[in-house]
C-alpha cells in the first residue's frame, strides 16, 4: 500500500510537471508570436539640420550666422523628436552633419578658415565635406564639443524610437579637405598621393601636373558672399597641381556650373575608364552581403575604398543606423559591394539609400552593390510631378509598377527633397494641397519606404532668396529659417502654435496617411492595378483618377485617387473577376470604410462576374478603403 501510494503521488507529480511544461511552451510560443514583427512600411524624415530649429525671421540674402541665425543639434529636443515620430516616421535623416566647408570663423577651435572663392553660399554646401571624422561646428552650442553633442542627438533619437541616417558623399570631397579629428593611424585624402602623375591606383585624387587650379570665372553678375568683404576673397585658391573637379571635369579652371568646390575621388578607375580592381564573379548578383564580404577579404583594393569603408564604420560604431549616399552611380558598383557588405557585417539592419538616376543601373547597384534603396526619381517622381502640374496623365503611372516589379521594394518614393523644387512653389504646382493624391500614391503603391522633406507636411513654398541658389528650393547653402516650419516650432514648443489653419490641415492629412502606412500589413503585400480596367469599363473615370488594390491575408485595401484640382466625380469603381476570386469574396454586399478620416463608407457589390462600388470623390481627394 505504502509503495503504491508513493508511485501514485509520483505519477501525479509527473503529470503536473508535464502540464506545467506544456503551458510554459505554449506561453513561449505565444510570446514569440506577439514579439515577432510583421514587416511594415518605413518612413524617412529628411531634415536640413541647420534650418530645423532656427526661429530667426531675418532671412537676409547672404546673411551671416549672427544675422540670420542657425539651428542646433540641441533644438532636436525630446518633444521635437516625439512629434516627428508621431507624424508617422521611422527614420530621421539629418542632412548636413559631416563637417563641410563654412565661411564662419572657427579658428578659435583649431579649424582653418574656408575660402569663399571655392565655397557655395555662406553656410556652405553639405556635399563639400572637409572632415569626415567630425561634424559641422555650426550645429553645436559649443563647437569644441560638437561631436559629443551629435552623439547625444543620436541617443535622443533612438530613445524617441527613430533610426538615424546621415550623408556620406563618396564621389567627392571639399577642395581643401583636411581632417583635424581623424583617429590615430588614419591619413587624409590625398596626403600620400603622387602628384606628379595624372593617375595612380592608390592616389585619392586625379591631377593635372604642372597646372595650377584657377577659380572659375564669374558670370551673370555672380559675386561670392553677395559682394561682402572677406580676407580670403581674392579670386584665387592655392592648389598646385590642379585636381579634377567633383563632377568629373578635368579642367584646371572649371566652369562655374561645375562642382568646382569639390574634387573627384579616384576609385581605381583610369582616365580611360579601365578598372584597376577585381570584378565580381558571375552570379554574385544573387549572393548575400556575407558572400560579398568574404569575396573582398583576400583582394587588394584601392586606397580610397579603404578610407571610405573606415569612415562608414566609424559612424556605425557611434550608433548611426544608415547612410544616404550622394551620386552613388558615379562610383563603381564593386566599391559598393565592398563597403556595404562591411557595414552589413556590423549592422545587418543598416539602412543604405543611394542617389542613382539611371534606370539601367538600378539592378546592379541593388544586387551587386548591396544597396537597400534607390531614389525612384526619373519614373514615379517625375510622372507624379507632371500629373500634379496638370498636364501629365495618370495612365503613365501604370507601366512604372510593372517595369520595377522585381525591385519595387528597393525604390524609395518621395515628392520633395533638398534637390527638388517645393510642391507649393509656383515653379512646381503652386499649391501644396495638389500633393494630397500624389503622396497617397507615393506612400501606398508599393512596399518601398516613403521620404518626407521637412516642411513638406506644412506646404512650405521655399520662397526665400537667401543668397546662393534660387527660390523654389529651400536653400542648402546659406543661413536662414523656414517660415512654415518656424511657425510650427513656435519658439521651441514644437506644437504648431503659430501655424495657419491650412498648414495644420495639411499636417493632419500627412499624419493620418503616414501613420496608416507604417501600421498596414496590406501595404507590404500584393498589388494589382485597377486603373486600366476602369478606364475601359467605367464611365466618369478618366485621366485624372487613379486606383489600385493592396492586400495581405488579413487586410484588403482599395485605393482611389482624384488628381483633379477643380472637379469631383462619381463613378462605379469596378473590380475584375480574377481579383474577386483571389480575394475569395462571396456574392453580396461588403462594407468599405475609408481609413484616412473614417468618415466615408460605401458598399462593394459582389457578383459572380466581378464587383463594383459607388464612389463620390471630391477634387484632390483620396480614399484608402478597407474591406470590412
Amino acid at each position: 500500500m505504502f509503495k503504491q501510494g508513493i508511485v501514485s503521488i509520483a505519477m501525479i507529480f509527473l503529470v503536473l510537471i508535464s502540464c506545467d511544461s506544456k503551458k510554459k511552451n505554449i506561453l513561449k510560443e505565444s510570446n514569440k508570436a506577439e514579439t515577432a514583427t510583421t514587416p511594415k512600411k518605413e518612413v524617412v524624415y529628411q531634415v536640413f539640420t541647420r534650418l530645423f530649429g532656427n526661429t530667426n525671421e531675418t532671412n537676409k540674402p547672404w546673411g551671416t550666422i549672427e544675422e540670420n541665425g542657425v539651428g542646433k543639434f540641441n533644438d532636436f529636443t525630446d518633444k521635437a523628436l516625439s512629434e516627428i515620430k508621431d507624424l508617422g516616421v521611422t527614420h530621421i535623416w539629418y542632412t548636413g552633419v559631416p563637417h563641410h566647408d563654412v565661411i564662419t570663423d572657427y579658428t578659435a577651435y583649431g579649424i582653418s578658415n574656408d575660402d569663399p572663392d571655392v565655397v557655395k553660399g555662406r553656410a556652405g554646401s553639405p556635399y563639400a565635406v572637409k572632415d569626415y571624422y567630425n561634424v559641422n561646428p555650426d550645429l553645436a552650442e559649443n563647437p569644441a564639443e560638437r561631436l559629443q553633442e551629435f552623439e547625444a542627438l543620436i541617443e535622443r533619437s533612438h530613445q524617441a524610437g527613430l533610426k538615424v541616417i546621415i550623408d556620406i558623399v563618396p564621389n567627392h570631397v571639399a577642395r581643401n579637405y583636411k581632417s583635424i579629428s581623424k583617429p590615430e593611424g588614419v591619413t587624409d585624402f590625398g596626403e600620400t598621393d603622387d602628384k606628379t602623375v595624372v593617375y595612380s591606383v592608390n592616389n585619392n585624387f586625379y591631377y593635372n601636373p604642372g597646372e595650377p587650379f584657377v577659380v572659375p570665372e564669374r558670370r551673370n553678375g555672380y559675386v561670392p558672399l553677395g559682394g561682402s568683404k572677406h580676407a580670403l576673397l581674392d579670386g584665387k585658391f592655392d592648389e598646385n597641381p590642379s585636381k579634377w573637379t567633383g563632377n568629373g571635369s578635368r579642367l584646371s579652371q572649371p566652369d562655374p556650373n561645375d562642382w568646382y568646390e569639390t574634387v573627384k575621388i579616384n576609385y581605381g578607375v583610369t582616365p580611360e575608364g579601365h578598372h584597376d580592381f577585381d570584378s565580381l564573379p558571375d552570379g554574385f548578383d544573387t549572393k548575400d552581403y556575407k558572400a560579398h564580404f568574404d569575396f573582398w577579404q583576400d583582394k587588394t583594393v584601392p586606397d580610397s575604398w579603404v578610407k571610405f569603408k573606415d569612415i562608414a564604420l566609424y559612424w556605425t560604431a557611434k550608433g548611426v543606423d544608415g547612410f544616404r549616399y550622394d551620386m552613388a552611380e558615379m562610383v563603381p558598383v564593386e566599391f559598393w559591394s565592398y563597403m556595404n557588405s562591411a557595414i552589413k557585417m556590423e549592422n545587418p539592419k543598416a539602412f543604405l539609400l543611394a542617389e542613382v538616376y539611371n534606370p539601367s543601373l538600378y539592378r546592379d547597384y541593388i544586387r551587386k552593390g548591396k544597396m537597400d534603396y534607390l531614389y525612384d526619381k526619373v519614373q514615379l517622381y517625375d510622372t507624379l510631378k507632371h500629373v500634379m502640374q496638370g498636364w501629365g496623365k495618370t495612365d503613365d503611372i501604370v507601366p512604372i509598377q510593372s517595369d520595377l516589379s522585381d525591385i519595387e521594394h528597393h525604390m524609395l518614393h518621395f515628392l520633395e527633397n533638398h534637390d527638388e523644387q517645393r510642391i507649393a512653389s509656383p515653379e512646381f504646382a503652386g499649391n501644396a494641397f495638389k500633393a494630397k493624391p500624389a503622396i497617397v500614391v507615393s506612400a501606398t503603391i508599393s512596399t518601398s519606404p516613403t521620404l518626407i522633406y521637412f516642411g513638406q507636411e506644412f506646404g512650405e513654398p521655399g520662397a526665400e532668396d537667401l543668397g546662393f541658389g534660387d527660390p523654389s528650393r529651400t536653400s542648402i547653402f546659406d543661413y536662414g529659417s523656414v517660415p512654415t516650419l518656424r511657425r510650427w516650432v513656435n519658439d521651441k514648443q514644437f506644437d504648431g502654435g503659430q501655424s495657419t489653419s491650412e498648414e495644420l490641415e495639411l499636417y493632419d492629412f500627412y499624419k493620418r496617411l503616414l501613420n496608416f502606412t507604417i501600421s498596414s500589413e496590406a501595404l507590404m503585400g500584393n498589388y494589382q492595378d485597377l486603373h486600366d480596367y476602369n478606364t475601359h469599363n467605367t464611365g466618369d473615370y478618366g485621366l485624372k483618377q487613379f486606383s489600385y488594390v493592396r492586400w495581405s491575408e488579413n487586410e484588403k485595401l482599395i485605393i482611389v485617387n482624384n488628381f483633379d484640382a477643380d472637379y469631383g466625380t462619381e463613378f462605379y469603381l469596378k473590380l475584375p473577376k480574377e481579383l474577386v476570386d483571389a480575394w475569395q469574396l462571396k456574392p453580396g454586399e461588403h462594407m468599405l470604410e475609408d481609413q484616412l478620416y473614417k468618415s466615408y463608407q460605401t458598399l462593394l457589390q459582389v457578383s459572380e462576374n466581378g464587383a463594383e462600388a459607388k464612389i463620390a470623390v471630391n477634387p484632390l481627394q483620396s480614399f484608402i478603403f478597407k474591406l470590412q
Side-chain angles (χ1 to χ4, degrees):
M1 283 289 293
F2 182 70
K3 288 181 179 178
Q4 286 178 343
I6 290 175
V7 171
S8 298
I9 291 170
M11 289 179 67
I12 293 170
F13 182 69
L14 288 171
V15 169
L16 289 172
I17 289 176
S18 176
C19 290
D20 185 59
S21 177
K22 286 179 181 178
K23 284 181 181 178
K24 285 180 178 177
N25 287 334
I26 291 170
L27 284 172
K28 281 182 182 177
E29 292 304 316
S30 176
N31 289 336
K32 280 182 185 177
E34 289 177 7
T35 56
T37 55
T38 303
K40 299 288 174 60
K41 291 269 285 187
E42 295 172 312
V43 173
V44 179
Y45 188 77
Q46 182 193 2
V47 57
F48 209 86
T49 314
R50 77 162 110 88
L51 298 178
F52 175 78
N54 186 17
T55 56
N56 184 317
E57 300 181 23
T58 305
N59 279 356
K60 174 186 174 182
W62 298 100
T64 65
I65 194 170
E66 292 81 13
E67 292 170 323
N68 283 358
V70 70
K72 303 288 185 180
F73 291 134
N74 287 355
D75 290 328
F76 293 90
T77 62
D78 291 338
K79 176 66 161 58
L81 293 168
S82 174
E83 291 297 326
I84 293 171
K85 174 68 175 175
D86 289 347
L87 179 62
V89 172
T90 59
H91 294 66
I92 185 164
W93 166 15
Y94 292 111
T95 305
V97 166
H99 183 181
H100 58 78
D101 279 357
V102 300
I103 300 303
T104 301
D105 188 335
Y106 288 107
T107 52
Y109 302 95
I111 300 169
S112 60
N113 278 328
D114 299 320
D115 190 333
D117 289 298
V118 289
V119 177
K120 291 180 177 176
R122 187 177 286 276
S125 168
Y127 298 105
V129 176
K130 176 181 180 176
D131 184 350
Y132 262 115
Y133 288 100
N134 216 318
V135 298
N136 182 359
D138 279 347
L139 304 176
E141 298 290 349
N142 179 1
E145 297 181 357
R146 58 195 183 278
L147 188 57
Q148 292 87 341
E149 289 188 28
F150 181 59
E151 290 170 339
L153 176 56
I154 295 173
E155 179 61 26
R156 288 198 304 279
S157 302
H158 288 165
Q159 289 175 352
L162 296 166
K163 299 290 183 67
V164 171
I165 299 169
I166 65 170
D167 289 279
I168 287 184
V169 191
N171 179 65
H172 49 271
V173 295
R175 223 156 191 120
N176 59 330
Y177 187 94
K178 181 175 178 58
S179 175
I180 62 172
S181 310
K182 59 185 182 293
E184 186 177 352
V186 172
T187 57
D188 270 343
F189 288 101
E191 185 176 332
T192 61
D193 280 6
D194 177 0
K195 300 178 183 180
T196 66
V197 296
V198 173
Y199 165 85
S200 177
V201 65
N202 285 314
N203 274 2
N204 298 134
F205 304 128
Y206 299 91
Y207 296 91
N208 292 334
E211 296 182 15
F213 172 79
V214 180
V215 170
E217 66 178 38
R218 297 168 184 173
R219 295 179 189 163
N220 304 318
Y222 170 73
V223 182
L225 304 185
S228 300
K229 292 185 180 299
H230 189 280
L232 296 177
L233 187 54
D234 57 4
K236 300 176 183 177
F237 180 75
D238 185 16
E239 178 183 295
N240 194 358
S242 175
K243 305 180 185 78
W244 291 10
T245 294
N247 62 325
S249 171
R250 305 182 183 190
L251 300 174
S252 294
Q253 183 180 27
D255 186 87
N257 294 319
D258 288 329
W259 305 345
Y260 61 82
E261 78 280 21
T262 67
V263 289
K264 185 169 180 61
I265 297 291
N266 166 23
Y267 280 90
V269 180
T270 72
E272 298 74 30
H274 302 305
H275 290 179
D276 280 341
F277 49 79
D278 289 276
S279 298
L280 290 169
D282 291 342
F284 254 63
D285 56 337
T286 65
K287 294 187 180 296
D288 64 12
Y289 69 85
K290 294 178 182 177
H292 281 249
F293 179 80
D294 289 342
F295 173 79
W296 294 110
Q297 294 314 293
D298 62 352
K299 306 295 187 298
T300 299
V301 298
D303 182 75
S304 297
W305 292 31
V306 179
K307 278 185 166 61
F308 266 108
K309 183 257 295 180
D310 289 346
I311 287 165
L313 296 183
Y314 171 84
W315 289 108
T316 297
K318 288 189 179 298
V320 169
D321 301 289
F323 303 102
R324 181 268 188 187
Y325 298 130
D326 187 78
M327 294 309 296
E329 67 190 84
M330 298 180 75
V331 178
V333 72
E334 287 85 358
F335 162 75
W336 294 114
S337 163
Y338 169 81
M339 184 160 92
N340 287 341
S341 63
I343 294 170
K344 290 287 188 179
M345 291 297 290
E346 296 297 321
N347 178 9
K349 296 183 179 180
F351 188 104
L352 305 178
L353 166 63
E355 185 182 25
V356 175
Y357 295 137
N358 184 346
S360 69
L361 299 177
Y362 287 170
R363 287 159 183 83
D364 274 355
Y365 277 76
I366 292 167
R367 295 169 179 166
K368 294 181 180 179
K370 296 302 157 193
M371 296 295 185
D372 293 314
Y373 306 109
L374 310 179
Y375 280 19
D376 193 348
K377 197 274 184 194
V378 300
Q379 288 175 286
L380 188 65
Y381 167 83
D382 284 349
T383 300
L384 287 175
K385 181 176 183 177
H386 298 159
V387 176
M388 293 161 69
Q389 291 175 323
W391 58 272
K393 301 181 296 182
T394 52
D395 287 1
D396 296 331
I397 303 172
V398 176
I400 295 172
Q401 285 305 106
S402 175
D403 183 53
L404 299 175
S405 60
D406 60 322
I407 56 170
E408 59 87 23
H409 177 67
H410 301 281
M411 302 305 299
L412 174 133
H413 292 170
F414 62 90
L415 294 183
E416 286 189 356
N417 63 44
H418 67 276
D419 285 320
E420 307 298 342
Q421 294 170 325
R422 291 288 194 173
I423 295 161
S425 69
E427 294 82 355
F428 190 144
N431 177 356
F433 284 83
K434 288 185 178 180
K436 290 178 67 178
I439 190 60
V440 170
V441 173
S442 184
T444 65
I445 198 170
S446 79
T447 65
S448 67
T450 305
L451 184 144
I452 302 294
Y453 189 40
F454 82 127
Q456 176 183 341
E457 69 273 34
F458 301 110
E460 170 59 38
E464 281 64 43
D465 179 3
L466 294 177
F468 191 94
D470 298 319
S472 78
R473 294 172 178 84
T474 296
S475 175
I476 65 171
F477 303 105
D478 286 284
Y479 298 114
S481 62
V482 180
T484 59
L485 190 79
R486 194 173 64 224
R487 290 191 281 272
W488 176 78
V489 169
N490 188 27
D491 296 324
K492 311 300 174 72
Q493 299 301 306
F494 306 102
D495 60 2
Q498 299 178 38
S499 299
T500 67
S501 58
E502 290 82 6
E503 289 165 2
L504 292 177
E505 179 186 350
L506 191 64
Y507 178 81
D508 177 68
F509 173 80
Y510 273 92
K511 189 172 184 176
R512 290 171 182 270
L513 172 64
L514 297 177
N515 276 284
F516 176 78
T517 66
I518 63 173
S519 62
S520 170
E521 181 183 311
L523 294 183
M524 295 301 288
N526 301 290
Y527 165 86
Q528 182 171 324
D529 170 64
L530 293 181
H531 179 76
D532 189 61
Y533 186 78
N534 280 273
T535 298
H536 293 93
N537 294 284
T538 302
D540 297 319
Y541 179 101
L543 299 180
K544 293 190 176 182
Q545 287 75 53
F546 190 67
S547 58
Y548 48 92
V549 292
R550 301 297 312 278
W551 78 94
S552 64
E553 183 178 352
N554 301 313
E555 185 180 38
K556 295 173 176 59
L557 305 176
I558 301 173
I559 301 173
V560 181
N561 304 277
N562 182 25
F563 283 86
D564 197 316
D566 301 311
Y567 299 101
T569 185
E570 187 174 272
F571 50 83
Y572 282 90
L573 185 77
K574 293 179 172 56
L575 274 60
K577 183 178 185 303
E578 62 267 22
L579 179 62
V580 171
D581 292 343
W583 282 10
Q584 298 180 342
L585 296 179
K586 296 180 180 179
E589 295 181 343
H590 300 259
M591 181 64 70
L592 298 176
E593 182 180 47
D594 175 49
Q595 299 300 292
L596 288 175
Y597 291 95
K598 302 282 188 176
S599 60
Y600 188 96
Q601 293 180 331
T602 189
L603 291 174
L604 182 68
Q605 305 281 353
V606 179
S607 69
E608 293 181 355
N609 298 317
E612 65 178 20
K614 185 178 181 180
I615 295 172
V617 61
N618 294 324
L620 299 177
Q621 188 172 33
S622 295
F623 293 120
I624 301 177
F625 289 116
K626 184 175 180 178
L627 184 68
Q628 301 299 304

